[in-house]
Amino acid sequence: MSVAPARLTLRRSAAFAWRSLRSMRTALILLLLLALASVVGSLVPQEMNSPERVAQFMIDHPVVGLFYKKAEFFNVFGSWWFTLITTLLFVSLFACLIPRTRAAIRSARQKPIQAREIDAFPLYREVRVGAGPTAVLAASRRVLSRRAFRTAAGGTQVAAEKGIAREIGSLLFHWAFVILLLGVAVGKGTGYVGHATIIEGQTWVDARPNYNGQLRTGRFFTENFSGIGVHLQSFTDSYRSTGIPMDFLSKVQLLDPQGHVVQTADIRVNHPAHFQGMDIFQYGFGWAPVVQVRQSGRVVAGGPVAMGQQLPPDGVPQLALPWNGTEKLLNQTPNIGVSLEFWPDGDAYFQSQVTGQPVQMQILRKPVLRFTTYQGRIFDPATNTLLDTSGLQQLQSTIMFPGQTVDLRTGDVLTPDPKTGKIDYGTRLTITFPGVRQYSVLQVSRDRGVSIVLFAAILIVLGLLPALYTARRKVWVRVQPAGTGSLVQIGGFALQRKAQFEDEFARLVTALTRAGGGEVPGKEAANP
């Protein structure tokens, strides 16, 4: 008669899933999957870190890129499957550690257990000593206690063991790993990171609208920005003759949310500033030429323009490229757009124009501002984007130097009156280039899990030390009357580091023999 298989119920399914999660093998598999996911997140460009690289990857590899996008490989650490693996790993670790912790607590509270057959242990010795059984038992317990054994006496026997710190250290290591994951989850889940572009002489405040580009926030971020301020006093950069960077330095003042200067700091690459729970790193830099646009002599737009660079072609150094920006005059009819191209080193600019070869620009020297004027309807009012010239009419293109004023529509240079020193603007629309500033791009982040991660790292080290350098060892001493003295039977074994325990056992036998009044002649049996 065949037996019908048990019907699969929700309770049985849940019990099976729980048993699987309690397996250390499951925890190791999940940890391996988490490591593989991290490898993918490191090798594949991520949207949160470099969206431009993701866009380029989609252009270069459209089929693979579409697969990566659907599989969320461009956003590994924010994907649903990465969150699922992390959650299951947490549950599995808890399911494994809770029973082990209970067992370790019971083992630590339990007294050493007496043994029946001492002579069956891997290490065994018999020694005849001169003292009586009662004195030998008391002396044996003292010797073992002085050597950090936990002891328990019962009848004619002393049971001893040590090395519980190994299990406690192993548990501490694994619990610290759980705390480490929790710290990462808290820090990344409630924190944020973004880039702040600050021009020399200006102050930036930590608030969502002030971030440049994409602001990465955790899943549980509640818009509680710090409100601190960063005032950029100056930025300096230096290079070797080969163009290799030597130093980037931002000198800043750090302000509290009320706008009061609290401290000053020098921010360099790998030398961030830490202020009120915020970490401020040096990320990038650039040039910000100052321009003023006047209509009939009245300033209608202007200020420092933070410019950017495009990716260099193969074989062209980054320092040989100009810096690009834009000025959009939407109050003009029709709209006026000015495409700006800044060359920090005028000598390098003219040399490249003559020879056709790129020349690196490492210092500010006779800067040149080249601009092209367009008119027409401008649909994108943002000033931090390049000018879309499709549908626009080009009026003129020219270059200018610091201190010059040029008519935007005609490109004519306006000179001051020799007598009054003033420029007759008339009804012209003009642009003036009074000077140059630099800007610094700082990466601003808040991670409240750093202290938790540091605490977990310390616990990991503390847990590894006993786990690596201690071993579980158990020893039993049985004493029987033998004439005027005693017959001492000593047995023991080690669960780890067995070779080292053989030497320790030999020294222990010598110490117990000495404590029992010394060895006396008679029959002796030993199992080496």
Side-chain angles (χ1 to χ4, degrees):
M1 181 177 179
S2 61
V3 179
R7 191 166 64 92
L8 188 63
T9 63
L10 180 61
R11 183 175 181 179
R12 287 195 177 99
S13 300
F16 174 76
W18 179 248
R19 286 195 303 271
S20 300
L21 286 173
R22 288 183 61 178
S23 169
M24 185 59 70
R25 178 183 298 176
T26 302
L28 291 175
I29 292 174
L30 290 171
L31 189 60
L32 177 62
L33 290 176
L34 195 68
L36 291 175
S38 300
V39 171
V40 174
S42 301
L43 298 179
V44 178
Q46 300 295 291
E47 290 178 342
M48 303 297 284
N49 295 333
S50 52
E52 65 282 350
R53 290 182 59 200
V54 173
Q56 188 62 44
F57 189 93
M58 293 289 291
I59 295 172
D60 297 339
H61 312 281
V63 177
V64 178
L66 182 61
F67 170 74
Y68 282 4
K69 188 173 184 64
K70 290 185 176 181
E72 298 191 56
F73 283 178
F74 292 132
N75 186 25
V76 169
F77 304 106
S79 63
W80 65 269
W81 50 268
F82 187 86
T83 303
L84 178 62
I85 294 173
T86 306
T87 303
L88 290 176
L89 180 59
F90 268 112
V91 175
S92 181
L93 286 174
F94 276 111
C96 294
L97 288 176
I98 289 176
R100 282 188 60 191
T101 303
R102 290 176 177 173
I105 293 174
R106 287 195 301 268
S107 178
R109 296 176 61 182
Q110 186 181 38
K111 293 182 178 180
I113 300 175
Q114 305 296 331
R116 293 183 179 180
E117 299 177 355
I118 295 180
D119 55 354
F121 292 122
L123 298 177
Y124 175 74
R125 288 290 302 274
E126 284 186 2
V127 181
R128 291 180 180 271
V129 295
T134 303
V136 172
L137 283 173
S140 298
R141 193 168 186 180
R142 287 195 300 271
V143 169
L144 292 169
S145 297
R146 284 197 297 266
R147 293 173 180 256
F149 281 89
R150 295 188 304 123
T151 62
T156 61
Q157 188 177 133
V158 175
E161 67 176 34
K162 70 177 179 178
I164 189 65
R166 181 184 180 89
E167 177 64 16
I168 294 175
S170 177
L171 284 172
L172 183 62
F173 171 82
H174 288 89
W175 277 114
F177 186 72
V178 173
I179 296 173
L180 178 69
L181 292 178
L182 284 174
V184 173
V186 169
K188 302 303 180 184
T190 63
Y192 58 94
V193 58
H195 297 147
T197 299
I198 313 174
I199 298 173
E200 288 176 322
Q202 294 186 356
T203 300
W204 175 90
V205 177
D206 180 28
R208 180 179 285 275
N210 297 333
Y211 279 93
N212 178 45
Q214 191 172 27
L215 174 66
R216 291 178 286 166
T217 60
R219 289 181 178 268
F220 312 107
F221 179 62
T222 57
E223 298 294 325
N224 55 336
F225 290 93
S226 66
I228 66 168
V230 181
H231 178 78
L232 180 62
Q233 295 175 299
S234 65
F235 175 84
T236 55
D237 55 338
S238 57
Y239 300 86
R240 302 185 187 276
S241 58
T242 57
I244 298 176
M246 293 177 58
D247 190 25
F248 301 135
L249 171 62
S250 295
K251 289 184 172 293
V252 300
Q253 292 178 328
L254 302 175
L255 292 70
D256 61 19
Q258 290 72 40
H260 303 131
V261 176
V262 177
Q263 66 183 71
T264 60
D266 291 348
I267 303 175
R268 287 184 165 91
V269 177
N270 298 326
H271 291 82
H274 307 284
F275 181 63
Q276 296 190 2
M278 306 294 294
D279 298 318
I280 307 172
F281 296 83
Q282 182 66 52
Y283 184 81
F285 70 98
W287 293 99
V290 182
V291 297
Q292 293 175 345
V293 178
R294 289 181 171 86
Q295 176 68 64
S296 304
R298 181 175 59 89
V299 177
V300 295
V305 179
M307 294 189 167
Q309 282 182 308
Q310 298 181 358
L311 293 176
D314 293 338
V316 177
Q318 186 75 48
L319 290 176
L321 295 183
W323 296 77
N324 304 103
T326 184
E327 192 72 45
K328 300 175 183 179
L329 307 176
L330 305 182
N331 56 353
Q332 299 291 314
T333 304
N335 300 150
I336 296 293
V338 185
S339 179
L340 302 171
E341 187 179 275
F342 178 69
W343 297 76
D345 189 342
D347 292 344
Y349 167 73
F350 288 110
Q351 182 179 345
S352 64
Q353 295 297 308
V354 172
T355 63
Q357 299 296 321
V359 181
Q360 296 192 67
M361 297 175 286
Q362 301 180 9
I363 60 174
L364 183 68
R365 177 174 54 195
K366 303 176 185 178
V368 173
L369 183 63
R370 180 177 178 179
F371 69 93
T372 304
T373 308
Y374 298 87
Q375 73 175 9
R377 187 173 180 182
I378 298 176
F379 295 94
D380 181 11
T383 57
N384 60 347
T385 59
L386 295 180
L387 183 64
D388 182 6
T389 59
S390 58
L392 300 181
Q393 177 189 358
Q394 179 177 335
L395 298 181
Q396 60 82 33
S397 179
T398 189
I399 63 173
M400 62 187 307
F401 303 95
Q404 283 189 328
T405 299
V406 179
D407 189 311
L408 273 175
R409 290 188 171 92
T410 65
D412 296 334
V413 178
L414 278 65
T415 57
D417 184 273
K419 296 181 179 179
T420 63
K422 296 181 180 181
I423 295 176
D424 181 13
Y425 294 97
T427 59
R428 296 183 181 91
L429 182 66
T430 62
I431 182 171
T432 303
F433 178 25
V436 181
R437 299 185 196 175
Q438 283 188 285
Y439 68 84
S440 179
V441 181
L442 304 178
Q443 178 175 294
V444 183
S445 63
R446 183 172 68 189
D447 190 339
R448 290 172 170 164
V450 172
S451 57
I452 301 176
V453 171
L454 176 61
F455 175 70
I458 295 173
L459 291 183
I460 287 175
V461 175
L462 294 178
L464 278 176
L465 291 177
L468 293 176
Y469 297 105
T470 62
R472 295 292 299 273
R473 288 150 289 178
K474 296 188 178 184
V475 175
W476 289 268
V477 179
R478 180 179 291 164
V479 182
Q480 297 177 357
T484 59
S486 303
L487 175 64
V488 182
Q489 297 175 303
I490 309 168
F493 69 89
L495 296 176
Q496 302 88 20
R497 303 169 69 88
K498 297 179 181 180
Q500 291 86 340
F501 182 65
E502 292 182 3
D503 297 334
E504 182 182 2
F505 184 79
R507 293 192 297 270
L508 188 60
V509 170
T510 301
L512 291 172
T513 302
R514 188 183 302 112
E519 187 175 2
V520 297
K523 289 185 178 181
E524 178 182 343
N527 183 12

